[in-house]
Amino acid sequence: MSKLFRTVCVAALLGALIMAGGCGGGGDDAPAVQTISQTTPAIAATVNPNGTATTGTSATTVTTAPGTTGYLATVSTTLPPSTIITAKNADGTTKALTAPPSFTFTAPVDSTATKSGTSGVPVPSGFLAVGSTVGAVDVQLTGAASATFNPAITITIPVPGKAVGSTVAVYTVAGTTYTLLGNFPVTTAGFVSFPVTSLSWKVCDPTFTTPTGTTGSGGGS
């Protein structure tokens, strides 16, 4: 009986080890990273006693760090002279800045220098997936839930293949709601610039997959 007991215990132990090994292999099924991010150098600004920051007397253009490659290499923001930057917490209250802030630019991981991707771009309610974009970047103030700017700042993002004179519909995204920010002309081949006073995903000429398999625009007004 003792020998039988030992045999059963050994078999149970081996089975447990095999199951544990099988569970460990599940790491291969983990979802792939959907976006890539790049943090810019600090914005040239003075921190005010009230926790906001103000840029200098000339326009300030902020780009990704030197050596950045791919789609994010040419994303930039331009702040007019004396722009007041107000960082916000998740509950909407002001987040006091203690040092000049930076931007974090995020793009779909499947973007390249020659095309915009869709991975990680928010999908609006009623659609199954993002079918395509001409350009897509999430711009945030690093370390803040949100931020506002007075006056408006200008964001420039790549729209590969778009010629000078063409028009790009730019949507601003809040959660899963797409709102048309405006239709903006391409003045430099492959790039579009547009003003914003707050930060979020900005998606250009999106199409979406519907339950019937067709694609539609993002809606908005």
PDB file of all heavy atoms in Angstrom, residues 110-146:
ATOM      1  N   ASP A 110       2.157  49.882 -36.124  1.00  0.00           N
ATOM      2  CA  ASP A 110       2.336  49.482 -37.522  1.00  0.00           C
ATOM      3  C   ASP A 110       2.566  50.669 -38.446  1.00  0.00           C
ATOM      4  O   ASP A 110       2.567  50.524 -39.661  1.00  0.00           O
ATOM      5  CB  ASP A 110       1.145  48.640 -38.006  1.00  0.00           C
ATOM      6  CG  ASP A 110      -0.199  49.316 -37.778  1.00  0.00           C
ATOM      7  OD1 ASP A 110      -0.274  50.247 -36.950  1.00  0.00           O
ATOM      8  OD2 ASP A 110      -1.190  48.912 -38.416  1.00  0.00           O
ATOM      9  N   SER A 111       2.778  51.861 -37.892  1.00  0.00           N
ATOM     10  CA  SER A 111       3.122  53.017 -38.718  1.00  0.00           C
ATOM     11  C   SER A 111       4.582  52.935 -39.141  1.00  0.00           C
ATOM     12  O   SER A 111       5.425  52.362 -38.444  1.00  0.00           O
ATOM     13  CB  SER A 111       2.913  54.317 -37.932  1.00  0.00           C
ATOM     14  OG  SER A 111       1.575  54.484 -37.559  1.00  0.00           O
ATOM     15  N   THR A 112       4.875  53.521 -40.282  1.00  0.00           N
ATOM     16  CA  THR A 112       6.253  53.622 -40.756  1.00  0.00           C
ATOM     17  C   THR A 112       6.474  55.044 -41.262  1.00  0.00           C
ATOM     18  O   THR A 112       5.572  55.886 -41.194  1.00  0.00           O
ATOM     19  CB  THR A 112       6.526  52.630 -41.909  1.00  0.00           C
ATOM     20  OG1 THR A 112       5.795  53.059 -43.075  1.00  0.00           O
ATOM     21  CG2 THR A 112       6.110  51.210 -41.542  1.00  0.00           C
ATOM     22  N   ALA A 113       7.646  55.289 -41.788  1.00  0.00           N
ATOM     23  CA  ALA A 113       7.936  56.611 -42.344  1.00  0.00           C
ATOM     24  C   ALA A 113       7.120  56.868 -43.608  1.00  0.00           C
ATOM     25  O   ALA A 113       6.987  58.016 -44.042  1.00  0.00           O
ATOM     26  CB  ALA A 113       9.427  56.732 -42.648  1.00  0.00           C
ATOM     27  N   THR A 114       6.550  55.817 -44.196  1.00  0.00           N
ATOM     28  CA  THR A 114       5.827  55.974 -45.459  1.00  0.00           C
ATOM     29  C   THR A 114       4.334  55.674 -45.371  1.00  0.00           C
ATOM     30  O   THR A 114       3.624  55.789 -46.358  1.00  0.00           O
ATOM     31  CB  THR A 114       6.442  55.063 -46.543  1.00  0.00           C
ATOM     32  OG1 THR A 114       6.400  53.700 -46.092  1.00  0.00           O
ATOM     33  CG2 THR A 114       7.888  55.453 -46.815  1.00  0.00           C
ATOM     34  N   LYS A 115       3.841  55.291 -44.171  1.00  0.00           N
ATOM     35  CA  LYS A 115       2.406  55.045 -44.045  1.00  0.00           C
ATOM     36  C   LYS A 115       1.982  55.215 -42.591  1.00  0.00           C
ATOM     37  O   LYS A 115       2.792  55.085 -41.667  1.00  0.00           O
ATOM     38  CB  LYS A 115       2.036  53.649 -44.537  1.00  0.00           C
ATOM     39  CG  LYS A 115       2.422  52.515 -43.584  1.00  0.00           C
ATOM     40  CD  LYS A 115       1.908  51.191 -44.088  1.00  0.00           C
ATOM     41  CE  LYS A 115       2.226  50.068 -43.107  1.00  0.00           C
ATOM     42  NZ  LYS A 115       1.443  50.192 -41.846  1.00  0.00           N
ATOM     43  N   SER A 116       0.706  55.509 -42.415  1.00  0.00           N
ATOM     44  CA  SER A 116       0.135  55.570 -41.074  1.00  0.00           C
ATOM     45  C   SER A 116      -0.540  54.250 -40.772  1.00  0.00           C
ATOM     46  O   SER A 116      -1.072  53.587 -41.658  1.00  0.00           O
ATOM     47  CB  SER A 116      -0.885  56.701 -40.981  1.00  0.00           C
ATOM     48  OG  SER A 116      -1.532  56.682 -39.728  1.00  0.00           O
ATOM     49  N   GLY A 117      -0.523  53.852 -39.503  1.00  0.00           N
ATOM     50  CA  GLY A 117      -1.111  52.585 -39.109  1.00  0.00           C
ATOM     51  C   GLY A 117      -2.461  52.751 -38.440  1.00  0.00           C
ATOM     52  O   GLY A 117      -3.030  53.847 -38.378  1.00  0.00           O
ATOM     53  N   THR A 118      -2.977  51.643 -37.914  1.00  0.00           N
ATOM     54  CA  THR A 118      -4.272  51.636 -37.246  1.00  0.00           C
ATOM     55  C   THR A 118      -4.207  50.997 -35.862  1.00  0.00           C
ATOM     56  O   THR A 118      -5.117  51.182 -35.064  1.00  0.00           O
ATOM     57  CB  THR A 118      -5.305  50.863 -38.080  1.00  0.00           C
ATOM     58  OG1 THR A 118      -4.858  49.516 -38.250  1.00  0.00           O
ATOM     59  CG2 THR A 118      -5.495  51.499 -39.458  1.00  0.00           C
ATOM     60  N   SER A 119      -3.166  50.265 -35.559  1.00  0.00           N
ATOM     61  CA  SER A 119      -3.089  49.524 -34.305  1.00  0.00           C
ATOM     62  C   SER A 119      -3.098  50.469 -33.110  1.00  0.00           C
ATOM     63  O   SER A 119      -2.279  51.389 -33.023  1.00  0.00           O
ATOM     64  CB  SER A 119      -1.820  48.668 -34.282  1.00  0.00           C
ATOM     65  OG  SER A 119      -1.717  47.942 -33.089  1.00  0.00           O
ATOM     66  N   GLY A 120      -4.038  50.244 -32.189  1.00  0.00           N
ATOM     67  CA  GLY A 120      -4.108  51.074 -31.005  1.00  0.00           C
ATOM     68  C   GLY A 120      -4.939  52.325 -31.146  1.00  0.00           C
ATOM     69  O   GLY A 120      -5.199  53.010 -30.153  1.00  0.00           O
ATOM     70  N   VAL A 121      -5.360  52.668 -32.365  1.00  0.00           N
ATOM     71  CA  VAL A 121      -6.211  53.841 -32.558  1.00  0.00           C
ATOM     72  C   VAL A 121      -7.605  53.519 -32.018  1.00  0.00           C
ATOM     73  O   VAL A 121      -8.150  52.451 -32.319  1.00  0.00           O
ATOM     74  CB  VAL A 121      -6.290  54.219 -34.048  1.00  0.00           C
ATOM     75  CG1 VAL A 121      -7.233  55.410 -34.257  1.00  0.00           C
ATOM     76  CG2 VAL A 121      -4.899  54.551 -34.581  1.00  0.00           C
ATOM     77  N   PRO A 122      -8.212  54.392 -31.215  1.00  0.00           N
ATOM     78  CA  PRO A 122      -9.528  54.100 -30.643  1.00  0.00           C
ATOM     79  C   PRO A 122     -10.572  53.788 -31.713  1.00  0.00           C
ATOM     80  O   PRO A 122     -10.606  54.426 -32.770  1.00  0.00           O
ATOM     81  CB  PRO A 122      -9.889  55.382 -29.889  1.00  0.00           C
ATOM     82  CG  PRO A 122      -8.565  56.014 -29.580  1.00  0.00           C
ATOM     83  CD  PRO A 122      -7.689  55.696 -30.745  1.00  0.00           C
ATOM     84  N   VAL A 123     -11.415  52.796 -31.426  1.00  0.00           N
ATOM     85  CA  VAL A 123     -12.492  52.400 -32.337  1.00  0.00           C
ATOM     86  C   VAL A 123     -13.796  53.021 -31.837  1.00  0.00           C
ATOM     87  O   VAL A 123     -14.170  52.818 -30.684  1.00  0.00           O
ATOM     88  CB  VAL A 123     -12.629  50.865 -32.394  1.00  0.00           C
ATOM     89  CG1 VAL A 123     -13.752  50.466 -33.341  1.00  0.00           C
ATOM     90  CG2 VAL A 123     -11.312  50.225 -32.808  1.00  0.00           C
ATOM     91  N   PRO A 124     -14.495  53.789 -32.675  1.00  0.00           N
ATOM     92  CA  PRO A 124     -15.738  54.410 -32.215  1.00  0.00           C
ATOM     93  C   PRO A 124     -16.849  53.386 -32.011  1.00  0.00           C
ATOM     94  O   PRO A 124     -16.850  52.313 -32.615  1.00  0.00           O
ATOM     95  CB  PRO A 124     -16.084  55.385 -33.349  1.00  0.00           C
ATOM     96  CG  PRO A 124     -15.403  54.831 -34.546  1.00  0.00           C
ATOM     97  CD  PRO A 124     -14.154  54.180 -34.052  1.00  0.00           C
ATOM     98  N   SER A 125     -17.797  53.720 -31.164  1.00  0.00           N
ATOM     99  CA  SER A 125     -18.916  52.833 -30.891  1.00  0.00           C
ATOM    100  C   SER A 125     -19.674  52.528 -32.181  1.00  0.00           C
ATOM    101  O   SER A 125     -19.876  53.410 -33.027  1.00  0.00           O
ATOM    102  CB  SER A 125     -19.874  53.479 -29.880  1.00  0.00           C
ATOM    103  OG  SER A 125     -19.220  53.746 -28.663  1.00  0.00           O
ATOM    104  N   GLY A 126     -20.088  51.273 -32.331  1.00  0.00           N
ATOM    105  CA  GLY A 126     -20.839  50.869 -33.509  1.00  0.00           C
ATOM    106  C   GLY A 126     -19.976  50.329 -34.626  1.00  0.00           C
ATOM    107  O   GLY A 126     -20.504  49.852 -35.641  1.00  0.00           O
ATOM    108  N   PHE A 127     -18.657  50.399 -34.475  1.00  0.00           N
ATOM    109  CA  PHE A 127     -17.745  49.877 -35.482  1.00  0.00           C
ATOM    110  C   PHE A 127     -16.911  48.751 -34.885  1.00  0.00           C
ATOM    111  O   PHE A 127     -16.732  48.663 -33.666  1.00  0.00           O
ATOM    112  CB  PHE A 127     -16.837  50.986 -36.017  1.00  0.00           C
ATOM    113  CG  PHE A 127     -17.567  52.052 -36.789  1.00  0.00           C
ATOM    114  CD1 PHE A 127     -18.054  53.181 -36.138  1.00  0.00           C
ATOM    115  CD2 PHE A 127     -17.783  51.935 -38.153  1.00  0.00           C
ATOM    116  CE1 PHE A 127     -18.732  54.168 -36.825  1.00  0.00           C
ATOM    117  CE2 PHE A 127     -18.463  52.919 -38.857  1.00  0.00           C
ATOM    118  CZ  PHE A 127     -18.943  54.038 -38.199  1.00  0.00           C
ATOM    119  N   LEU A 128     -16.397  47.903 -35.755  1.00  0.00           N
ATOM    120  CA  LEU A 128     -15.634  46.755 -35.299  1.00  0.00           C
ATOM    121  C   LEU A 128     -14.145  47.033 -35.192  1.00  0.00           C
ATOM    122  O   LEU A 128     -13.467  46.466 -34.338  1.00  0.00           O
ATOM    123  CB  LEU A 128     -15.857  45.563 -36.240  1.00  0.00           C
ATOM    124  CG  LEU A 128     -17.293  45.049 -36.355  1.00  0.00           C
ATOM    125  CD1 LEU A 128     -17.352  43.873 -37.329  1.00  0.00           C
ATOM    126  CD2 LEU A 128     -17.832  44.640 -34.993  1.00  0.00           C
ATOM    127  N   ALA A 129     -13.627  47.873 -36.076  1.00  0.00           N
ATOM    128  CA  ALA A 129     -12.186  48.125 -36.106  1.00  0.00           C
ATOM    129  C   ALA A 129     -11.918  49.387 -36.910  1.00  0.00           C
ATOM    130  O   ALA A 129     -12.792  49.894 -37.621  1.00  0.00           O
ATOM    131  CB  ALA A 129     -11.446  46.942 -36.738  1.00  0.00           C
ATOM    132  N   VAL A 130     -10.703  49.906 -36.756  1.00  0.00           N
ATOM    133  CA  VAL A 130     -10.251  51.009 -37.599  1.00  0.00           C
ATOM    134  C   VAL A 130      -9.726  50.407 -38.891  1.00  0.00           C
ATOM    135  O   VAL A 130      -8.802  49.585 -38.875  1.00  0.00           O
ATOM    136  CB  VAL A 130      -9.154  51.827 -36.897  1.00  0.00           C
ATOM    137  CG1 VAL A 130      -8.677  52.959 -37.801  1.00  0.00           C
ATOM    138  CG2 VAL A 130      -9.660  52.379 -35.577  1.00  0.00           C
ATOM    139  N   GLY A 131     -10.340  50.762 -40.011  1.00  0.00           N
ATOM    140  CA  GLY A 131      -9.935  50.187 -41.289  1.00  0.00           C
ATOM    141  C   GLY A 131      -8.665  50.800 -41.846  1.00  0.00           C
ATOM    142  O   GLY A 131      -7.776  50.102 -42.319  1.00  0.00           O
ATOM    143  N   SER A 132      -8.554  52.140 -41.763  1.00  0.00           N
ATOM    144  CA  SER A 132      -7.364  52.817 -42.285  1.00  0.00           C
ATOM    145  C   SER A 132      -7.315  54.234 -41.729  1.00  0.00           C
ATOM    146  O   SER A 132      -8.325  54.779 -41.267  1.00  0.00           O
ATOM    147  CB  SER A 132      -7.382  52.861 -43.815  1.00  0.00           C
ATOM    148  OG  SER A 132      -8.470  53.659 -44.272  1.00  0.00           O
ATOM    149  N   THR A 133      -6.145  54.812 -41.752  1.00  0.00           N
ATOM    150  CA  THR A 133      -5.964  56.220 -41.426  1.00  0.00           C
ATOM    151  C   THR A 133      -4.918  56.786 -42.377  1.00  0.00           C
ATOM    152  O   THR A 133      -4.060  56.065 -42.879  1.00  0.00           O
ATOM    153  CB  THR A 133      -5.476  56.434 -39.977  1.00  0.00           C
ATOM    154  OG1 THR A 133      -4.150  55.912 -39.854  1.00  0.00           O
ATOM    155  CG2 THR A 133      -6.384  55.753 -38.975  1.00  0.00           C
ATOM    156  N   VAL A 134      -5.004  58.076 -42.603  1.00  0.00           N
ATOM    157  CA  VAL A 134      -3.959  58.761 -43.374  1.00  0.00           C
ATOM    158  C   VAL A 134      -2.876  59.261 -42.430  1.00  0.00           C
ATOM    159  O   VAL A 134      -1.715  59.387 -42.797  1.00  0.00           O
ATOM    160  CB  VAL A 134      -4.580  59.906 -44.198  1.00  0.00           C
ATOM    161  CG1 VAL A 134      -3.503  60.795 -44.811  1.00  0.00           C
ATOM    162  CG2 VAL A 134      -5.460  59.339 -45.300  1.00  0.00           C
ATOM    163  N   GLY A 135      -3.260  59.524 -41.192  1.00  0.00           N
ATOM    164  CA  GLY A 135      -2.321  59.943 -40.161  1.00  0.00           C
ATOM    165  C   GLY A 135      -2.978  59.750 -38.811  1.00  0.00           C
ATOM    166  O   GLY A 135      -4.192  59.903 -38.691  1.00  0.00           O
ATOM    167  N   ALA A 136      -2.192  59.398 -37.794  1.00  0.00           N
ATOM    168  CA  ALA A 136      -2.768  59.184 -36.463  1.00  0.00           C
ATOM    169  C   ALA A 136      -1.688  59.331 -35.398  1.00  0.00           C
ATOM    170  O   ALA A 136      -0.678  58.628 -35.433  1.00  0.00           O
ATOM    171  CB  ALA A 136      -3.406  57.802 -36.357  1.00  0.00           C
ATOM    172  N   VAL A 137      -1.901  60.262 -34.474  1.00  0.00           N
ATOM    173  CA  VAL A 137      -0.954  60.487 -33.382  1.00  0.00           C
ATOM    174  C   VAL A 137      -1.730  60.886 -32.135  1.00  0.00           C
ATOM    175  O   VAL A 137      -2.675  61.686 -32.211  1.00  0.00           O
ATOM    176  CB  VAL A 137       0.073  61.595 -33.720  1.00  0.00           C
ATOM    177  CG1 VAL A 137       0.913  61.930 -32.504  1.00  0.00           C
ATOM    178  CG2 VAL A 137       0.979  61.171 -34.858  1.00  0.00           C
ATOM    179  N   ASP A 138      -1.354  60.322 -31.002  1.00  0.00           N
ATOM    180  CA  ASP A 138      -1.875  60.761 -29.707  1.00  0.00           C
ATOM    181  C   ASP A 138      -0.816  61.670 -29.097  1.00  0.00           C
ATOM    182  O   ASP A 138       0.340  61.278 -28.939  1.00  0.00           O
ATOM    183  CB  ASP A 138      -2.122  59.550 -28.804  1.00  0.00           C
ATOM    184  CG  ASP A 138      -2.754  59.943 -27.470  1.00  0.00           C
ATOM    185  OD1 ASP A 138      -3.347  61.038 -27.390  1.00  0.00           O
ATOM    186  OD2 ASP A 138      -2.642  59.160 -26.523  1.00  0.00           O
ATOM    187  N   VAL A 139      -1.201  62.890 -28.765  1.00  0.00           N
ATOM    188  CA  VAL A 139      -0.279  63.850 -28.172  1.00  0.00           C
ATOM    189  C   VAL A 139      -0.730  64.112 -26.740  1.00  0.00           C
ATOM    190  O   VAL A 139      -1.897  64.421 -26.494  1.00  0.00           O
ATOM    191  CB  VAL A 139      -0.247  65.166 -28.968  1.00  0.00           C
ATOM    192  CG1 VAL A 139       0.773  66.128 -28.369  1.00  0.00           C
ATOM    193  CG2 VAL A 139       0.064  64.907 -30.442  1.00  0.00           C
ATOM    194  N   GLN A 140       0.192  63.983 -25.788  1.00  0.00           N
ATOM    195  CA  GLN A 140      -0.115  64.207 -24.382  1.00  0.00           C
ATOM    196  C   GLN A 140       1.002  65.020 -23.735  1.00  0.00           C
ATOM    197  O   GLN A 140       2.139  65.005 -24.203  1.00  0.00           O
ATOM    198  CB  GLN A 140      -0.275  62.879 -23.633  1.00  0.00           C
ATOM    199  CG  GLN A 140      -1.421  62.012 -24.120  1.00  0.00           C
ATOM    200  CD  GLN A 140      -2.790  62.617 -23.858  1.00  0.00           C
ATOM    201  OE1 GLN A 140      -2.950  63.433 -22.955  1.00  0.00           O
ATOM    202  NE2 GLN A 140      -3.776  62.219 -24.644  1.00  0.00           N
ATOM    203  N   LEU A 141       0.637  65.719 -22.674  1.00  0.00           N
ATOM    204  CA  LEU A 141       1.650  66.363 -21.842  1.00  0.00           C
ATOM    205  C   LEU A 141       2.168  65.284 -20.891  1.00  0.00           C
ATOM    206  O   LEU A 141       1.386  64.678 -20.152  1.00  0.00           O
ATOM    207  CB  LEU A 141       1.045  67.530 -21.065  1.00  0.00           C
ATOM    208  CG  LEU A 141       2.044  68.567 -20.549  1.00  0.00           C
ATOM    209  CD1 LEU A 141       2.642  69.347 -21.700  1.00  0.00           C
ATOM    210  CD2 LEU A 141       1.351  69.529 -19.576  1.00  0.00           C
ATOM    211  N   THR A 142       3.445  65.032 -20.933  1.00  0.00           N
ATOM    212  CA  THR A 142       4.025  63.926 -20.175  1.00  0.00           C
ATOM    213  C   THR A 142       3.718  64.047 -18.681  1.00  0.00           C
ATOM    214  O   THR A 142       3.933  65.087 -18.069  1.00  0.00           O
ATOM    215  CB  THR A 142       5.550  63.889 -20.379  1.00  0.00           C
ATOM    216  OG1 THR A 142       5.824  63.882 -21.788  1.00  0.00           O
ATOM    217  CG2 THR A 142       6.152  62.644 -19.754  1.00  0.00           C
ATOM    218  N   GLY A 143       3.172  62.974 -18.108  1.00  0.00           N
ATOM    219  CA  GLY A 143       2.895  62.942 -16.684  1.00  0.00           C
ATOM    220  C   GLY A 143       1.588  63.565 -16.264  1.00  0.00           C
ATOM    221  O   GLY A 143       1.256  63.556 -15.074  1.00  0.00           O
ATOM    222  N   ALA A 144       0.815  64.082 -17.209  1.00  0.00           N
ATOM    223  CA  ALA A 144      -0.477  64.693 -16.895  1.00  0.00           C
ATOM    224  C   ALA A 144      -1.589  63.908 -17.574  1.00  0.00           C
ATOM    225  O   ALA A 144      -1.392  63.298 -18.621  1.00  0.00           O
ATOM    226  CB  ALA A 144      -0.511  66.150 -17.351  1.00  0.00           C
ATOM    227  N   ALA A 145      -2.782  63.942 -16.962  1.00  0.00           N
ATOM    228  CA  ALA A 145      -3.916  63.252 -17.575  1.00  0.00           C
ATOM    229  C   ALA A 145      -4.407  64.001 -18.804  1.00  0.00           C
ATOM    230  O   ALA A 145      -4.906  63.394 -19.755  1.00  0.00           O
ATOM    231  CB  ALA A 145      -5.051  63.105 -16.559  1.00  0.00           C
ATOM    232  N   SER A 146      -4.262  65.312 -18.799  1.00  0.00           N
ATOM    233  CA  SER A 146      -4.642  66.145 -19.940  1.00  0.00           C
ATOM    234  C   SER A 146      -3.968  67.499 -19.771  1.00  0.00           C
ATOM    235  O   SER A 146      -3.275  67.742 -18.783  1.00  0.00           O
ATOM    236  CB  SER A 146      -6.165  66.301 -20.030  1.00  0.00           C
ATOM    237  OG  SER A 146      -6.665  66.941 -18.869  1.00  0.00           O
TER     238      SER A 146
END
